[in-house]
Amino acid sequence: MRQSLQPSRSPADYDFVHRVRTRFAETDAMGIIHHAAYLPYLEEARVEYLRSIGHPYDVVRSGGVDVAVLEAAVQYRKPLRFDDEVDVSLGVGAVTRTTFQIAYLL
Amino acid sequence: MRQSLQPSRSPADYDFVHRVRTRFAETDAMGIIHHAAYLPYLEEARVEYLRSIGHPYDVVRSGGVDVAVLEAAVQYRKPLRFDDEVDVSLGVGAVTRTTFQIAYLL
Amino acid sequence: MRQSLQPSRSPADYDFVHRVRTRFAETDAMGIIHHAAYLPYLEEARVEYLRSIGHPYDVVRSGGVDVAVLEAAVQYRKPLRFDDEVDVSLGVGAVTRTTFQIAYLL
Amino acid sequence: MRQSLQPSRSPADYDFVHRVRTRFAETDAMGIIHHAAYLPYLEEARVEYLRSIGHPYDVVRSGGVDVAVLEAAVQYRKPLRFDDEVDVSLGVGAVTRTTFQIAYLL
């Protein structure tokens, strides 16, 4: 993997916070939020972050720029459960001419 | 709703059968397959049916025809669980110039 | 189907409103929100409605009551797109001793 | 991340292959398979692998063992599209007393 960003565990190190509430549809038979459901949480936080800095993602896209996800790496530290409200902290780093990395902390 | 087709409960009344296996990602905290996960099963069966009659859906789409779902109605008769294999029976009916209805039996 | 409730098209006829914002993960290759993604929106609205009347769903569930979806019927009147904010209106009706129906209007 | 396994790019290096076909519900408005949809593909391959070695996952679970995903890392090398059939190669490695890692190649 080319991923180089090491997400800090301190929320204070992040630029932006977006709160999500987990859905029942995202739970699994272990009674927790299924691990695949986190990537849409991160995406939702990313979209809100872009809006907050004046670059709504639909405007970005209608301008002809699609932002493809090249890599994703998640460490599941503790389970989320149904109806949990959780703050997704987000910080941008490791910017190159064609790529950037975003660190998230839940 | 404009839905008029009454799905038969007899598999023999259907034109086509497609088997799906449920995924763990589709379960929920009640330990059953989440009710929203059924619509992709029906869609998968529909795609296989179209392929079986010589109309692969990606060819249909690249020909400029998008088939939008106008209505969906599901009656959940008994729960599915993780790793269940289930036959989706499918039959087409109520065809008009611009719409058609498909009945499914799981 | 045993469904008897006819959802009104007038938001004023509903008891509760919950706003959702569509996610990019919920779009499909037709550029619209996939039809299966609506059921989690309705579920999210239902959970918020139960909270608003003092019956948070996780408390209901931990009390031993699971509310299973027996039927779902959706009429897709106009497509939703990525990043749309939409009000989900909700009203309860057709209550029996063991079942109830909820009408939604988006 | 504690992830140490480096997935080989040669299918011959893997123990098991499971074929999946992408669903329309898994596409997004960029016309490709959404990046979050890959994790259920990997999970489905994992379930089939466990079955192939005589440990069906539902039996494992009913024996009281839940296998939680602790980390997931994905590198998206080329986009998948609707209706693609793709072989998921799978190999187990880095086994400890309480954890193991699985490498996948699509």
Side-chain angles (χ1 to χ4, degrees):
Chain A
M1 312 286 278
R2 288 163 298 179
Q3 184 205 347
S4 58
L5 215 55
Q6 265 308 334
S8 160
R9 295 207 178 176
S10 166
D13 291 339
Y14 289 80
D15 306 325
F16 182 74
V17 177
H18 173 66
R19 179 164 293 184
V20 299
R21 188 187 280 275
T22 62
R23 293 174 174 170
F24 193 74
E26 295 158 352
T27 60
D28 66 23
M30 285 197 278
I32 60 177
I33 299 301
H34 189 265
H35 65 279
Y38 288 68
L39 292 179
Y41 298 162
L42 307 187
E43 180 182 74
E44 181 178 313
R46 193 159 65 239
V47 166
E48 293 305 325
Y49 168 70
L50 287 172
R51 191 191 326 280
S52 78
I53 60 169
H55 294 297
Y57 187 56
D58 52 349
V59 174
V60 172
R61 291 195 69 231
S62 64
V65 177
D66 267 341
V67 181
V69 174
L70 300 180
E71 293 190 20
V74 185
Q75 186 173 11
Y76 302 90
R77 301 187 302 143
K78 57 171 187 281
L80 289 177
R81 294 179 189 282
F82 166 58
D83 214 31
D84 283 350
E85 279 192 304
V86 58
D87 282 339
V88 182
S89 300
L90 181 160
V92 178
V95 178
T96 71
R97 274 183 30 175
T98 55
T99 65
F100 55 92
Q101 296 180 30
I102 304 182
Y104 305 85
L105 178 72
L106 269 78
Chain B
M1 312 285 280
R2 289 162 297 180
Q3 184 205 347
S4 58
L5 215 55
Q6 266 307 334
S8 160
R9 296 207 177 176
S10 166
D13 291 338
Y14 288 81
D15 306 324
F16 182 76
V17 177
H18 174 67
R19 179 165 291 184
V20 299
R21 190 187 280 274
T22 61
R23 293 174 174 171
F24 192 75
E26 295 157 353
T27 59
D28 66 23
M30 284 197 279
I32 59 176
I33 299 301
H34 189 266
H35 66 278
Y38 288 68
L39 292 179
Y41 298 162
L42 307 188
E43 180 182 73
E44 182 178 313
R46 192 160 65 238
V47 166
E48 294 305 325
Y49 168 70
L50 287 172
R51 191 190 328 280
S52 78
I53 59 168
H55 294 296
Y57 187 55
D58 51 349
V59 174
V60 172
R61 291 194 67 233
S62 63
V65 178
D66 268 341
V67 182
V69 174
L70 301 180
E71 292 190 20
V74 185
Q75 185 174 13
Y76 302 91
R77 301 186 303 142
K78 57 170 186 283
L80 289 177
R81 294 179 189 281
F82 167 57
D83 214 32
D84 282 352
E85 278 193 305
V86 59
D87 282 337
V88 182
S89 300
L90 180 161
V92 178
V95 178
T96 72
R97 273 180 33 173
T98 56
T99 66
F100 55 93
Q101 297 180 30
I102 304 182
Y104 305 85
L105 178 72
L106 270 77
Chain C
M1 311 286 279
R2 288 163 297 178
Q3 182 206 345
S4 59
L5 215 55
Q6 266 305 336
S8 160
R9 296 209 176 174
S10 165
D13 291 338
Y14 288 81
D15 306 325
F16 182 76
V17 177
H18 174 65
R19 180 165 292 185
V20 299
R21 189 188 280 274
T22 62
R23 293 173 173 170
F24 193 74
E26 295 158 352
T27 60
D28 67 22
M30 284 198 278
I32 60 177
I33 299 301
H34 189 266
H35 65 279
Y38 287 68
L39 292 179
Y41 298 162
L42 307 188
E43 181 182 72
E44 181 178 314
R46 191 160 66 239
V47 166
E48 293 305 326
Y49 168 71
L50 288 172
R51 191 191 326 281
S52 77
I53 60 169
H55 294 297
Y57 186 56
D58 51 350
V59 174
V60 172
R61 291 194 67 233
S62 64
V65 178
D66 267 342
V67 182
V69 174
L70 300 179
E71 293 189 20
V74 185
Q75 185 174 14
Y76 302 91
R77 301 186 302 142
K78 58 171 188 280
L80 288 177
R81 295 178 189 282
F82 166 57
D83 214 31
D84 282 351
E85 278 192 303
V86 58
D87 282 338
V88 182
S89 301
L90 180 160
V92 177
V95 178
T96 73
R97 272 182 31 174
T98 56
T99 65
F100 55 93
Q101 296 180 32
I102 304 182
Y104 305 86
L105 178 72
L106 271 77
Chain D
M1 312 285 280
R2 288 164 297 179
Q3 183 205 347
S4 58
L5 215 56
Q6 267 305 335
S8 160
R9 297 209 176 173
S10 166
D13 291 338
Y14 288 81
D15 305 325
F16 182 75
V17 178
H18 174 66
R19 180 165 292 184
V20 300
R21 189 187 281 274
T22 61
R23 293 174 174 170
F24 193 73
E26 295 157 353
T27 60
D28 67 21
M30 285 197 279
I32 60 177
I33 299 302
H34 189 265
H35 65 279
Y38 287 69
L39 292 179
Y41 298 161
L42 307 187
E43 181 182 72
E44 181 178 314
R46 192 160 65 239
V47 166
E48 293 305 325
Y49 169 71
L50 288 171
R51 191 191 326 279
S52 78
I53 61 170
H55 294 297
Y57 186 55
D58 51 350
V59 173
V60 171
R61 291 194 67 232
S62 64
V65 178
D66 266 344
V67 182
V69 174
L70 301 180
E71 293 188 20
V74 185
Q75 185 174 13
Y76 302 91
R77 301 186 304 142
K78 58 171 187 281
L80 289 177
R81 295 179 188 282
F82 166 58
D83 213 32
D84 282 351
E85 277 192 306
V86 59
D87 283 338
V88 182
S89 300
L90 180 160
V92 178
V95 178
T96 73
R97 273 181 32 173
T98 55
T99 65
F100 55 92
Q101 297 180 30
I102 303 183
Y104 305 85
L105 178 71
L106 271 77

